[in-house]
Amino acid sequence: MTTASPLRRSLLVACAAALGGLAPPTVAQVRIPLRVSSPAVPDDWHAKMWTVFKESLEKSAPSQFDVQINLNASLFKQGAEPVAMARGNLELASISAFDIAKLVPAFSIFTAGYVVRDPQHQQKVFNGPIGTELFKAVSDKMGVTVLSTVYLGTRQLNLRDVRPVRTPADLKGVKLRMPGTREWLFLGDALGATATPLAFGEVYLGLKTGTIDGQDNPLPTARAAKFYEVTKQLVLTQHLVDSLFITISNKSWNALTPAQKQNVTAAAQAAAKFNNENRIKEEGQLVDFFRQQGLQVSTPDVEAFRTSVQATYARSDYAKVWPAGLLERINATR
Ligand code: KDO
């Protein structure tokens, strides 16, 4: 009887093992890449919400997606996300009403100060018929699908030096940093200040060195970006209840199965919910925090700001392209 050589024997053993029930090698599942770009700092809620998105999606659609989160504008600069999505270089972003207004002029109504009243009003407007109509125009004109509405917060002013601020006239000559688009600069000027364009990532240094006199952002962002270290006053103007919209490029969206679309939408809604709840809670606590940091907190004559800012928008070219009745419908949404 011939005996097998050791090499032959191990080959035979391997073949027997393969035939005898070991799982055949599978082709590794290819995950769908979902690149996210945001200018947010990691400690802000609308940065952390992307981790909620990623985890929620992994749970509902295990191993199907590869969510890549890029913060601090490390992938695309602030405001460049819509173009990147349209060109197929980016799948997901949280874009602002200001980004949208460039291509969907009616949307500039949400860049106007003192239109949206509070976070609940915001959710009702965008989750109702007005949202449905406008998001259709966003999809048609921008090639992106809105998945959920994020409350970025209520914007307030931070000033480098303490000054009495009661009405817009008191901001005359104040170099107020705004993001660098026409719609943002209009808002800064409407507040009575001299709007000065600067990217978000440069604001801290601008305040520190004095190239700007102030900035506007919601309190959680001013906390996360540490603007309290380089400003002395907080002015609670409440001038804009600001939104971000989690959007996916239509190219990526259309390639998904119905089940995947459902999972991606649910993940975007979970992310927005996480952000909105935490942000609203934190906004209620931060005035004390800023006081503890040594900032003087002042409440101006908000009615004077509201009247002046609303009048400035009403006579502007922006208002001319707002669809008839839209402002009234927004106001009537409860
Ligand atoms: C800002 O630059 O002030 C702003 O708040 C504008 C928003 O639209 C959004 O881009 C936000 O910055 C970033 O996400 C950083 O928080």
Side-chain angles (χ1 to χ4, degrees):
M1 196 178 126
T2 52
T3 50
S5 70
L7 176 63
R8 210 170 115 80
R9 207 171 324 135
S10 54
L11 278 174
L12 286 172
V13 169
C15 288
L19 293 170
L22 286 187
T26 51
V27 179
Q29 192 169 4
V30 180
R31 288 173 176 253
I32 299 169
L34 291 181
R35 289 164 295 182
V36 176
S37 182
S38 168
V41 293
D43 198 24
D44 210 339
W45 299 110
H46 65 303
K48 292 181 186 169
M49 76 176 179
W50 285 111
T51 303
V52 173
F53 175 86
K54 182 178 172 133
E55 288 174 358
S56 160
L57 197 52
E58 190 53 34
K59 212 164 166 192
S60 62
S63 309
Q64 289 183 39
F65 294 96
D66 174 20
V67 179
Q68 302 161 20
I69 305 168
N70 303 279
L71 303 174
N72 287 320
S74 57
L75 192 57
F76 288 101
K77 69 182 174 71
Q78 182 180 29
E81 303 89 352
V83 173
M85 282 195 283
R87 289 193 179 148
N89 297 328
L90 182 69
E91 285 74 40
L92 281 157
S94 51
I95 63 174
S96 73
F98 295 79
D99 297 322
I100 297 174
K102 284 194 224 162
L103 287 154
V104 183
F107 226 90
S108 67
I109 203 161
F110 299 110
T111 69
Y114 302 104
V115 168
V116 178
R117 292 188 296 269
D118 53 44
Q120 292 73 27
H121 184 216
Q122 177 201 58
Q123 291 295 315
K124 288 229 166 92
V125 168
F126 289 113
N127 294 332
I130 296 176
T132 309
E133 286 162 37
L134 289 173
F135 294 158
K136 160 114 190 25
V138 171
S139 173
D140 294 346
K141 294 200 185 149
M142 298 179 71
V144 298
T145 294
V146 176
L147 301 172
S148 63
T149 301
V150 173
Y151 172 57
L152 183 61
T154 301
R155 297 182 84 94
Q156 320 280 7
L157 301 184
N158 265 140
L159 300 180
R160 215 172 157 255
D161 294 310
V162 177
R163 58 190 288 144
V165 180
R166 219 176 55 77
T167 70
D170 298 322
L171 289 176
K172 195 168 172 7
V174 169
K175 278 185 276 164
L176 181 66
R177 172 273 166 180
M178 302 300 283
T181 71
R182 203 169 70 93
E183 289 79 7
W184 278 112
L185 297 171
F186 189 87
L187 176 62
D189 288 337
L191 290 166
T194 302
T196 308
L198 202 60
F200 181 78
E202 290 162 37
V203 176
Y204 184 96
L205 199 60
L207 289 167
K208 192 171 174 160
T209 58
T211 51
I212 49 173
D213 302 321
Q215 71 89 34
D216 90 308
N217 252 297
L219 299 186
T221 296
R223 193 264 312 145
K226 298 191 162 55
F227 295 152
Y228 57 85
E229 291 179 352
V230 284
T231 52
K232 299 202 176 79
Q233 187 177 5
L234 184 61
V235 187
L236 300 173
T237 46
Q238 305 171 41
H239 55 274
L240 186 75
V241 174
D242 205 1
S243 317
L244 289 176
F245 304 91
I246 295 188
T247 46
I248 184 166
S249 76
N250 282 349
K251 191 166 161 258
S252 324
W253 181 246
N254 294 333
L256 300 180
T257 65
Q260 286 173 330
K261 282 183 179 170
Q262 232 175 43
N263 295 331
V264 168
T265 306
Q269 285 169 353
K273 185 168 185 282
F274 165 85
N275 166 86
N276 298 359
E277 287 175 0
N278 282 295
R279 195 175 285 279
I280 290 168
K281 184 163 164 228
E282 202 192 17
E283 277 188 326
Q285 303 162 344
L286 279 177
V287 168
D288 282 346
F289 170 80
F290 286 114
R291 278 207 185 95
Q292 283 157 18
Q293 298 303 314
L295 270 73
Q296 187 161 315
V297 180
S298 61
T299 305
D301 180 346
V302 175
E303 273 320 299
F305 271 95
R306 189 192 314 278
T307 310
S308 168
V309 169
Q310 286 183 343
T312 305
Y313 274 92
R315 58 174 180 263
S316 73
D317 285 347
Y318 293 112
K320 293 192 182 119
V321 297
W322 296 347
L326 182 58
L327 185 58
E328 291 73 14
R329 284 173 69 205
I330 293 170
N331 290 340
T333 304
R334 311 247 151 225

